[in-house]
Amino acid sequence: GGRAGLRPGLGGWGYLVLIHFIVMGLPLQSTNAQDLRHLVSTCGGTSEAHLRWCQETALAVQAAQGALGLAASGGTDLPGSASTLGWRMKGSPRIALSIRGALTRAPAPALKGSGTSPHGEITVTLPSIHISGTVGVFDGFSLGPTLGGFGSLDLTVSTQWIAPPKDQGFQENLTGWGIGTRIGILRESFTLPGISLSAFHRSLGSVDLWELGDGDPAAAGFDLRVSSLRAVAGKDLWGLGFFGGAGWDRYTGDATLVVTDPEGVGPNSTGAGELRSNRRLFFLGGSMTFLTLQVSAEVGWADGFTPDLPMSFQGGSDPSSRSTFGALAFRLTF
């Protein structure tokens, strides 16, 4: 579905600049270790044991931030498709409504019930539900025979509900929102795959971890914003669709720590600062279409975080451990 030229106001150069930003802007580091070090140092402490608790608590905040962020973003932004929606006919955009259920599994330090010293690692499982609506804003233009959809544009709004495990210190379920855009590089044809790039921003509000009044050794809070970039390619084969992609997430938010004195004689120690973490992820999936209804599933994994810390992580948690996720989605396209 090509068109001669671009709509006024969208501009071919604007598309090229945005594509360049998405492709070239991916950082090489997996996390911002300076932010984590600052958070640990502001917590401080009067003993090595106190500092170890501060560090494990900061690691737990980073792990929770990454787990919730991954549960919010997942893999592809438009379930089951590597192509943009485009238009059904000139001036008549396609619209898609989707619902997706997902599970995310992520490692985290075991703080609750750790006794006098932090030790061990747990795996948290986060179920989530995502509802989104997507509209094809621009149909793109053709670069040649079967080379359509270049520069096509979709807009998506979404909401997500995440239920983290309360027995691991999370205090409440989370509801967030998101908005994003997908740019078509190539629309799928009989001979060629569909290829697209997308950028998405999500906000999940404030998160509280643990309660000192319940005997927990530490408490923490942070707010969470997730910025995501995705590159997806896919093709229909014999009635089934297959897709795969790679992405990059950035999790940002202000964090606070409160750690009790492990020896029980001193005051609580507090720390505060902004925590930013970046990581790459990869995913694969398949889909089946029944007229206007499409059913799709995906699985994926995300890198851990660089363990560049003030102390060796003697608590037993390894921030570089990977996280995994999977999802089942239903999409109606009109």
Side-chain angles (χ1 to χ4, degrees):
R3 294 291 184 269
L6 297 177
R7 271 191 181 282
L10 291 176
W13 283 110
Y15 282 111
L16 294 178
V17 169
L18 183 54
I19 292 171
H20 177 80
F21 166 76
I22 292 174
V23 174
M24 300 302 293
L26 302 181
L28 297 179
Q29 290 184 323
S30 296
T31 186
N32 193 323
Q34 185 175 0
D35 288 347
L36 193 64
R37 282 176 169 269
H38 174 74
L39 192 59
V40 175
S41 65
T42 59
C43 179
T46 57
S47 67
E48 183 175 304
H50 205 158
L51 183 59
R52 185 176 296 116
W53 272 108
C54 289
Q55 177 165 293
E56 288 295 305
T57 305
L59 281 174
V61 171
Q62 183 187 51
Q65 188 186 60
L68 291 168
L70 184 61
S73 64
T76 179
D77 292 319
L78 182 62
S81 177
S83 297
T84 52
L85 289 178
W87 292 349
R88 186 173 300 278
M89 59 186 68
K90 183 175 176 60
S92 177
R94 284 188 172 91
I95 297 173
L97 302 176
S98 63
I99 182 168
R100 174 165 57 103
L103 282 178
T104 303
R105 289 177 60 81
L111 293 189
K112 203 170 181 66
S114 292
T116 58
S117 178
H119 64 276
E121 185 175 88
I122 59 173
T123 299
V124 296
T125 301
L126 299 91
S128 58
I129 297 175
H130 308 250
I131 299 174
S132 63
T134 303
V135 58
V137 175
F138 180 65
D139 203 37
F141 61 96
S142 178
L143 302 178
T146 73
L147 296 175
F150 180 79
S152 56
L153 183 69
D154 289 347
L155 292 180
T156 299
V157 293
S158 70
T159 183
Q160 52 271 331
W161 175 82
I162 305 172
K166 307 301 188 298
D167 60 347
Q168 299 299 338
F170 292 91
Q171 298 299 301
E172 65 274 314
N173 297 333
L174 296 177
T175 301
W177 61 270
I179 185 170
T181 182
R182 173 181 272 205
I183 294 177
I185 304 301
L186 188 65
R187 181 162 296 139
E188 183 181 346
S189 65
F190 181 75
T191 56
L192 296 174
I195 302 174
S196 63
L197 303 174
S198 64
F200 222 96
H201 178 78
R202 296 174 175 87
S203 176
L204 278 83
S206 299
V207 182
D208 294 314
L209 294 170
W210 314 292
E211 282 190 287
L212 296 182
D214 287 347
D216 293 337
F222 60 93
D223 57 288
L224 178 57
R225 298 174 297 276
V226 185
S227 298
S228 304
L229 302 177
R230 298 287 186 269
V232 188
K235 186 76 173 67
D236 283 342
L237 297 172
W238 307 294
L240 295 176
F242 299 92
F243 61 90
W248 172 87
D249 279 354
R250 165 166 283 189
Y251 317 118
T252 61
D254 294 325
T256 58
L257 313 178
V258 181
V259 177
T260 59
D261 180 14
E263 300 172 357
V265 295
N268 294 341
S269 181
T270 61
E274 184 180 19
L275 183 59
R276 297 166 293 176
S277 300
N278 312 320
R279 66 175 170 188
R280 295 182 175 123
L281 56 94
F282 306 89
F283 53 92
L284 298 168
S287 65
M288 180 175 289
T289 302
F290 308 91
L291 296 178
T292 61
L293 173 66
Q294 184 189 74
V295 181
S296 64
E298 70 176 18
V299 293
W301 62 98
D303 290 341
F305 303 111
T306 304
D308 186 7
L309 299 164
M311 302 174 63
S312 62
F313 36 97
Q314 301 173 23
S317 61
D318 184 356
S320 64
S321 299
R322 287 182 172 180
S323 300
T324 58
F325 59 92
L328 177 67
F330 300 86
R331 191 186 85 194
L332 285 172
T333 304
F334 306 97

